[in-house]
Amino acid sequence: MTLLLVSIAPIIIIAFYIYFRDKYEKEPIGLLLLSLLSGGLIVIPILLLGSLLKPLGETLRGLYQAGFDAFIMAAFIEEGFKFLAVYLLIWKNKNFNEKFDGIVYAVFVSLGFALVENIIYVFSNGLSTGLLRASTAVPFHAIDGVIMGFYFGIARFKMINKSSNLAKAFILPFIFHGLYDFFLMSQNVVFLLLWIPLLVYLWRNAFKKMKLHSQTSVFNDENHL
C-alpha cells in the first residue's frame, strides 16, 4: 500500500496543481480523466515499438549506447506517442478554446504515462526509488508536457507558423527528454554535473510558459479592459 501511495501521490499533486493553474476556465473533468487514461494506454505501443527497435542498439557501447537509449528508446518513442495522443484527443475538440488548455491536456497525458511508468519502477525497485522519482522523473514528465502543450496552444490559436509550432511541440520535448536521460545514462561525471542545471532550467522555463499563457488567456477579464 505504501509503494502504491508513493507511486500515485506525485501524479495527483501535479494534476491538481495544473488544474488550479488553469484559473479562468476549467476543463471538463471527464476529458481530463480521458487524457490521463490515454497517457496510460500509450505505454502499450511504446513497449511494443521499443522491443522492435531495441536490437538496433545492441552493438553499441559507451556513450553511443547511452545516446541511443536516451534519444531513441526513451525520448523519441515516448514523446512521439504523447504528441500523437494529445493531437488526436484535443486538436479539434471544442474544449480546446484557449492556449493554456494545450498545457493542461498535454500535462495530463504525460502524467498518465508517468503514472504507469512510476508504478512499474517503484514496485520493481522499492520505496527509495519512488521518493527519488517523485522529485525528478515525475515532475520532468510534467515539464515536458508543459513545453509540448505551450506550443500546441500557439499552433492552435496563432494564425501563422502553425506547422512550425506543432513541430516544436514534439521536437523540444524530444530534445530535452533525450538530454535528461543521456546525462544520467552516460555515467560521465561532466554530463552528470550538467543534469542538475538542466533540470533547474526546465523547471524555470515551464513556470514561465505557464505564466505567459495564463496571463494572455482570452478568458482573463484584464485583457479586455
Side-chain angles (χ1 to χ4, degrees):
M1 191 65 186
T2 300
L3 292 179
L4 183 62
L5 181 60
V6 170
S7 301
I8 296 175
I11 309 296
I12 295 175
I13 291 170
I14 295 173
F16 271 100
Y17 174 77
I18 293 297
Y19 180 78
F20 287 109
R21 277 298 299 262
D22 186 17
K23 296 188 291 185
Y24 302 107
E25 197 223 18
K26 301 297 185 189
E27 302 311 299
I29 298 298
L31 191 54
L32 294 177
L33 293 176
L34 182 59
S35 300
L36 282 172
L37 178 62
S38 299
L41 289 176
I42 63 173
V43 171
I44 298 172
I46 286 172
L47 290 175
L48 291 175
L49 183 56
S51 66
L52 293 175
L53 295 179
K54 187 176 181 179
L56 298 177
E58 289 179 349
T59 60
L60 301 175
R61 297 292 182 270
L63 293 179
Y64 293 105
Q65 182 180 21
F68 178 81
D69 290 342
F71 284 94
I72 303 302
M73 296 297 293
F76 180 78
I77 298 175
E78 292 175 15
E79 299 306 327
F81 277 104
K82 288 179 191 177
F83 177 92
L84 184 61
V86 175
Y87 184 86
L88 293 176
L89 193 66
I90 68 161
W91 185 251
K92 294 184 178 180
N93 193 296
K94 65 180 181 180
N95 293 291
F96 187 11
N97 54 14
E98 65 163 325
K99 288 182 288 187
F100 197 90
D101 293 348
I103 291 176
V104 175
Y105 291 114
V107 170
F108 270 71
V109 168
S110 295
L111 289 176
F113 172 80
L115 174 61
V116 176
E117 183 186 61
N118 214 36
I119 290 173
I120 293 171
Y121 273 101
V122 173
F123 275 82
S124 299
N125 299 288
L127 181 61
S128 59
T129 296
L131 295 175
L132 179 61
R133 287 179 58 83
S135 59
T136 55
V138 175
F140 175 75
H141 277 296
I143 288 170
D144 259 1
V146 170
I147 297 170
M148 182 178 290
F150 178 84
Y151 289 102
F152 255 104
I154 295 176
R156 179 68 176 81
F157 295 102
K158 191 175 180 180
M159 299 306 295
I160 59 173
N161 299 325
K162 286 186 178 293
S163 296
S164 63
N165 282 302
L166 266 181
K168 288 179 183 178
F170 165 72
I171 292 171
L172 291 179
F174 159 68
I175 291 173
F176 289 131
H177 191 156
L179 288 173
Y180 176 97
D181 284 353
F182 177 72
F183 288 166
L184 290 177
M185 294 177 180
S186 70
Q187 295 300 300
N188 179 286
V189 175
V190 175
F191 289 135
L192 288 172
L193 289 174
L194 290 173
W195 180 75
I196 294 177
L198 174 67
L199 195 56
V200 172
Y201 166 77
L202 291 174
W203 271 92
R204 292 169 59 88
N205 185 258
F207 281 112
K208 287 180 180 178
K209 282 177 165 48
M210 284 191 287
K211 182 177 181 180
L212 178 60
H213 272 0
S214 180
Q215 288 178 336
T216 57
S217 170
V218 295
F219 298 104
N220 183 354
D221 291 338
E222 292 181 4
N223 294 328
H224 302 288
L225 296 178

